[in-house]
Each structure stands twice: as structure tokens, then as C-alpha cells.
Amino acid sequence: MRPANFASQPNPQHSNRVRAITIGSLDVPSSTLLWMLFAIITFACLSISQAKAENARPNVVLILVDDLGVHDIGIEGSKFHQTPHIDALAKRGMRFTAGYANCRVCSPSRASIQLGQFTARHGITDWIGAKTGMNFNRGDELLPAEYVHEMPSKDVTLPEALRESGYKTFFAGKWHLGGEGSMPTDHGFDINIGGHHRGSPPGGFFAPYKNPVMEDGPDGESLTRRLGKETASFIEGQDDQPYFAMLSFYAVHGPIQTTQELWQKYRESAPTPPADGNRFKIDRTLPVRQIQDNPVYAGMMETLDNAVGDVMAAIEASGKADNTLVIFTGDNGGVSSGDAYSTSNLPHRGGKGRQWEGGLREPYYVSMPAIVPENSTSDVPVIGSDLYPTILDICNLPLRPQQHVDGRSLETVLTSGKDESLEQRSLIWHYPHYGNQGGEPSSVIRTGDYKLIHYHLDSHDELYHLPTDIGEQNDLASEQPERVAAMRKELLAYLKSVDAKFPEPDPRFDPEKAKQRWARTHGPNKERLEKREAAMLEPDWKPNKNWWGSTID
């Protein structure tokens, strides 16, 4: 028997095929009720679908390596370093053959990834802690420009944008974008392991780490592997909530350290040294390494590769690998001069701190099996500041064009391999400082296949056609004055629009002292450098009695 308030009765105005259903005191035609039920079911299905879509939002893993040379990776041409896990990551998706960092040194590039902007716009134009103005006294002709010393709090960072959309955010490793008040947890990361104000690991690459925001492991533990395992552990602990994990290695920044076993392995596999015994060539300001045969650095590269393998294994084990966006890149070119002189970036000229391609080019790999074809490549020039809009786009989140104003989404390139709008835009770099590796204060613009370097000491320009001159040996500025004028105009107009800072003459400059320093660089300093690097390959070489703590007596 039906309840009294839910009865079916004949409708005298229609045939017996049409009936009304009474709900309470309201008569509702059965056809209308059917449409109401259909709407309710449809709405419920859409809600469930939307909930599933939210749960299925891509996870994001961003791997950033410090001081990584583009040719330090096997797939990029290294015959000395062994990087099978990174090679596999590159083949898993798209490899960009013209990938760039936003700066030739670390902090500016790192800020550009977080903010989606070129360095002149956000104002962090040198590594945080570098001296400026009259506090800089190295005997050079210019005083380095002032710069911003921490990430601006007014900006919405990439992790903040993701967290606002329901993402769990995790950071491990090197930060170097400010100290107290400007730490990772102040800029959108829920978890921070190891990120603080310093750019190099306080205790080196083996425990005890002396890191204020990371617990020490057992003595002799590898910092690089530890950061990889911390990231893997975070990935393993996630369930339905989408996450953004940024693994920002301290490696392969100095100090250059490895285990005795890895040193021995690469000492035995090192290539034959140059016939004249010279591993270095003076390029304008300092010696630049011409061969990859540093066994200590090669050991660091293998440890880095294994740490990347730890993370990739965790992604595969999660069962969500197809829906996980993985990005791998670096913050500036390999250290071929200054600091540890540890790698060669040939055929690219220069390295970290320098204005040529060796200081700016980076491995740049993006993979997500659900949408990015494996073993794909693109020669579209791309840069670190493109990652912000790209990640939002792939995660189906609203873009923030007023924030990532200099970045461009690579989503179309990744899924179809084509996007001519990216090919037409210009990339801009601004470094009004002297690099510790011999770089000169200058600004750079790449438009299409041409690259112009504008020097702030005397306002002269260099112009290179990269497809035919990747080593930047043939300056075309005198042959193409109209192109030079147009590119310089665009570059300087951009810098003016963002109120870029420029260096000024140093009244203390002494030309005679500069000549004396030049003579030392070309003579005794280079000789000592050659002997030091050759000694690393001798069977009885020892850096110290306990291999920097990698072995415990």
C-alpha cells in the first residue's frame, strides 16, 4: 500500500498514457518528475565526476640541481659521467634541446622559478650574499649593482598558488632565497627539510650536516641521497590529496666531495689527458676547463643520479606515475671556471657565472606519461620562469598572468610538440655584477636564433647566430648593425620598464694592479690549477685523512 502523500491518480485532462503523481498536496506530471530525477542524477554524477577529477589532479615533482652543466648528463653527451636514471627520466617525456636557466648564478634563477619572472623584474640579480657597491673591492672597473636580498613577500609564489588550490606542498634541499621571514614555509611550502639562507651545505655532503632545519643522519651519510630519500618518503606517504614536491639538491655545488670508492672508480675510467697537459684555457678573465675528467665530480654525479632514481622509484611505486608531472632542470651552468673548476661545458662556451651559453644552458626535461609522448624532443627555447604557468596549466588551474608575466605555458608544446608563439618571444637575462667565475657585468637577449650580449663596462655588443655557432666564437655585431640595434633597443627598453639596476664606475680602480692580477692569473695561478687537477688522478691522491667524512674511522 502506497503512503497517502505519494499516490498515483488518473488525470482527466489527458489520456491514460499521462498520469500525475501527488507529492503532498502538489500534483506533478510524471514526465516532469522524470526530468527532475534525471536532473538530480545528472547533477550527482557531475559532482562525483568533479570530485574524481579533483582527486585525479596531477601530482607535481620538480627536481632542481645546483650548478649542473648541460653536458654533465649522459643523454646530453657526457662520455665520463654515468647518469642512467636521469637519462631514463629524459626519455620518459620531452627533452628540450634549448633549455635555459634564468641566470648564470643560483639565487636569481631559483626566484624566477618561484615567481615566473625574469630576474630584472623581481630584482634578485645575484646570489644572495654577494657584495655590492663600495663593499665590493676586487679591483675591477665597475661597482656591482644593488639587488633584492630575499624573495618578495608581495608576490604569489608557485607553491602558494598550488596550495590555494588544495595541493600539499613539500620542499627539500637548497633554498638560498632569504633567511628568517623568507624561508620555504614563508612562501607556500607546508614542509621544509634542509632549506635555509645558505647556498652551500654547511657541513659538506656527508653527515653531520650542521644544517639548522634538518636532523643529522648517521655519520658519513650522503646528503644528496638523504634528500632524495626524504622526497621519496613524502611521495610514499601521500594518498588522495594532490601534492607538489620540490627536490632542490645542494649537489653538485661545491665543496666537491665524493667517497673514496667512487673516486677510485672514476679515476680508473677517466679519459686520456690532453697531450700538452693543459686542462684549462684562459678565456678573457680566468682559466676555463676543457675536459671532463674530474673523478671527484664524477662521483658526485653518480650519487646525484642514484638520488633521482630513489625519487622516480617512489613515483612508480605510488601507482600514480602516469598522472605525475616530473620536471628536471638546473639553476645555472656547470662550474668550468672559478670555485672548483670541476666540469667542462664544451661545445658551449664558458660556464657558471659567465654570459655565454655554458653559463645559461641547462638540461630541461618534462614528463607525464598521460599527456607527454615519451622520447619526444623540442628545440623551442624555454626557460625556468616558464615552469610556473606550465604547471598551473597542466594541473588545470587558473593562470596568473600578472604574476608569471615573463613565463609562458609549455602545455601545448608538451602535448603537441608545436607552439610558434614561444618561438617568437625574446628571452632576457640581466647580470649587472662580476661573477666569481670570471663573468662580466652584462645583459643578454635571445630572439629567434640570435643572441646579443650587451656589456655594461663600455656598452659594446656581441652578436651570435647560435645554430651555426654554438661555441660563440664568431661575433657578427659588425656585420649586422641593424639587427644589433633592434635587439639592443628591445633589451634596454625591457630593462627600463622594470626599473633594472646597473653597475657604476669604481673610483678606486687601479689599472696597474689589474695588470698584475692578470699576470698572476695567466702564470702561477694557472700552473697551480693544472697541477691540482692532475693530482686528483694519481693513485695515491688523498684530499684529507677521512675523505671529508664519507668514511668514518
Side-chain angles (χ1 to χ4, degrees):
M1 183 175 181
R2 295 178 184 272
N5 64 344
F6 192 91
S8 175
Q9 303 196 10
N11 188 331
Q13 297 179 358
H14 298 281
S15 69
N16 290 336
R17 289 178 300 168
V18 180
R19 305 178 67 82
I21 297 174
T22 301
I23 303 176
S25 60
L26 180 66
D27 288 339
V28 181
S30 59
S31 59
T32 302
L33 181 63
L34 289 174
W35 277 111
M36 291 171 61
L37 291 173
F38 176 77
I40 292 170
I41 293 171
T42 300
F43 178 77
C45 290
L46 287 173
S47 299
I48 294 170
S49 176
Q50 182 178 359
K52 287 183 177 180
E54 290 177 353
N55 288 334
R57 277 182 177 171
N59 298 312
V60 183
V61 177
L62 171 56
I63 302 173
L64 183 66
V65 184
D66 199 12
D67 289 359
L68 180 67
V70 65
H71 298 301
D72 284 340
I73 307 299
I75 198 171
E76 302 293 347
S78 179
K79 304 299 183 183
F80 184 43
H81 307 148
Q82 297 181 17
T83 58
H85 296 108
I86 299 174
D87 295 344
L89 193 164
K91 296 174 184 177
R92 183 176 181 265
M94 180 170 286
R95 179 169 69 94
F96 288 90
T97 62
Y100 287 97
N102 278 91
C103 188
R104 59 184 96 163
V105 296
C106 58
S107 298
S109 287
R110 292 165 181 273
S112 290
I113 289 172
Q114 301 293 338
L115 302 174
Q117 299 173 1
F118 293 156
T119 60
R121 187 182 298 276
H122 59 64
I124 302 175
T125 53
D126 205 355
W127 60 273
I128 294 176
K131 294 181 179 179
T132 59
M134 292 297 285
N135 291 322
F136 180 88
N137 190 10
R138 205 174 62 184
D140 290 301
E141 295 184 64
L142 296 176
L143 296 172
E146 299 298 328
Y147 63 91
V148 175
H149 284 247
E150 63 180 26
M151 193 126 72
S153 58
K154 62 180 176 59
D155 288 89
V156 178
T157 64
L158 172 60
E160 285 174 331
L162 290 169
R163 189 167 69 176
E164 287 176 9
S165 300
Y167 275 71
K168 183 76 171 179
T169 55
F170 168 92
F171 183 89
K174 174 173 173 174
W175 179 244
H176 205 186
L177 289 172
E180 185 177 354
S182 188
M183 296 280 275
T185 47
D186 296 308
H187 292 286
F189 287 103
D190 298 312
I191 300 168
N192 169 37
I193 299 175
H196 58 114
H197 70 285
R198 290 187 58 171
S200 59
F205 283 95
F206 300 97
Y209 305 123
K210 302 177 182 177
N211 188 307
V213 287
M214 185 174 73
E215 293 183 4
D216 274 325
D219 287 353
E221 178 187 59
S222 164
L223 173 62
T224 302
R225 292 300 296 273
R226 166 70 177 276
L227 293 173
K229 290 181 184 298
E230 290 281 3
T231 305
S233 178
F234 169 78
I235 292 170
E236 292 163 356
Q238 302 313 299
D239 191 9
D240 290 333
Q241 183 180 7
Y243 64 82
F244 170 51
M246 182 170 181
L247 171 53
S248 176
F249 286 108
Y250 281 97
V252 285
H253 190 286
I256 305 303
Q257 297 175 342
T258 191
T259 64
Q260 187 172 4
E261 292 75 19
L262 286 174
W263 163 78
Q264 178 68 21
K265 172 183 176 178
Y266 287 99
R267 187 191 75 80
E268 293 174 352
S269 65
T272 303
D276 60 4
N278 289 315
R279 288 175 170 81
F280 297 89
K281 172 186 175 182
I282 301 289
D283 189 356
R284 290 239 281 257
T285 54
L286 286 177
V288 178
R289 195 179 191 101
Q290 304 293 297
I291 184 174
Q292 289 184 353
D293 71 347
N294 185 320
V296 178
Y297 187 77
M300 291 186 76
M301 286 298 304
E302 179 169 321
T303 302
L304 168 71
D305 185 71
N306 286 329
V308 171
D310 294 336
V311 175
M312 296 307 295
I315 293 172
E316 290 296 328
S318 72
K320 301 177 182 178
D322 284 355
N323 200 42
T324 298
L325 175 66
V326 181
I327 300 167
F328 178 94
T329 191
D331 65 352
N332 53 249
V335 184
S336 62
S337 184
D339 299 342
Y341 293 88
S342 49
T343 193
S344 170
N345 300 299
L346 293 177
H348 296 100
R349 185 177 180 182
K352 177 183 179 179
R354 292 183 163 232
Q355 56 270 21
W356 297 294
E357 293 291 278
L360 297 170
R361 287 277 187 132
E362 283 299 316
Y364 202 112
Y365 312 142
V366 182
S367 71
M368 184 176 167
I371 62 171
V372 182
E374 65 178 2
N375 287 312
S376 55
T377 60
S378 173
D379 59 3
V380 173
V382 295
I383 196 165
S385 47
D386 293 334
L387 297 180
Y388 192 140
T390 299
I391 291 171
L392 292 186
D393 216 0
I394 290 177
C395 293
N396 198 30
L397 298 175
L399 296 182
R400 297 171 179 254
Q402 292 184 329
Q403 174 59 55
H404 48 73
V405 61
D406 296 314
R408 298 291 182 272
S409 172
L410 307 178
E411 192 268 344
T412 304
V413 181
L414 292 165
T415 55
S416 70
K418 298 178 181 179
D419 191 330
E420 295 190 4
S421 66
L422 285 174
E423 296 176 359
Q424 300 304 314
R425 55 119 180 221
S426 294
L427 303 180
I428 291 175
W429 297 265
H430 182 56
Y431 191 71
H433 313 280
Y434 287 99
N436 292 337
Q437 303 79 20
E440 300 154 76
S442 53
S443 299
V444 178
I445 180 171
R446 173 170 175 166
T447 305
D449 291 334
Y450 285 89
K451 173 183 173 182
L452 180 135
I453 305 174
H454 179 75
Y455 290 85
H456 298 303
L457 177 60
D458 56 8
S459 293
H460 88 276
D461 301 299
E462 293 174 357
L463 178 69
Y464 299 104
H465 183 249
L466 296 176
T468 59
D469 183 25
I470 196 61
E472 296 169 283
Q473 298 297 312
N474 185 22
D475 180 5
L476 302 174
S478 61
E479 299 176 19
Q480 301 190 38
E482 292 183 359
R483 186 183 299 277
V484 168
M487 292 180 70
R488 185 201 306 125
K489 180 179 179 181
E490 181 182 356
L491 171 63
L492 296 181
Y494 174 85
L495 296 178
K496 181 179 180 180
S497 72
V498 297
D499 193 25
K501 304 299 185 290
F502 295 91
E504 297 179 353
D506 188 342
R508 301 166 298 182
F509 176 67
D510 186 331
E512 186 57 36
K513 289 183 178 179
K515 289 180 181 178
Q516 294 172 5
R517 186 177 65 175
W518 175 262
R520 289 194 300 271
T521 297
H522 284 66
N525 289 357
K526 182 177 181 296
E527 291 176 9
R528 282 194 295 269
L529 179 61
E530 294 281 7
K531 290 179 180 178
R532 186 190 77 183
E533 296 300 309
M536 288 187 185
L537 292 165
E538 295 297 325
D540 59 349
W541 179 78
K542 262 190 177 179
N544 64 5
K545 63 182 180 180
N546 73 341
W547 277 84
W548 300 292
S550 62
T551 60
I552 305 300
D553 297 331

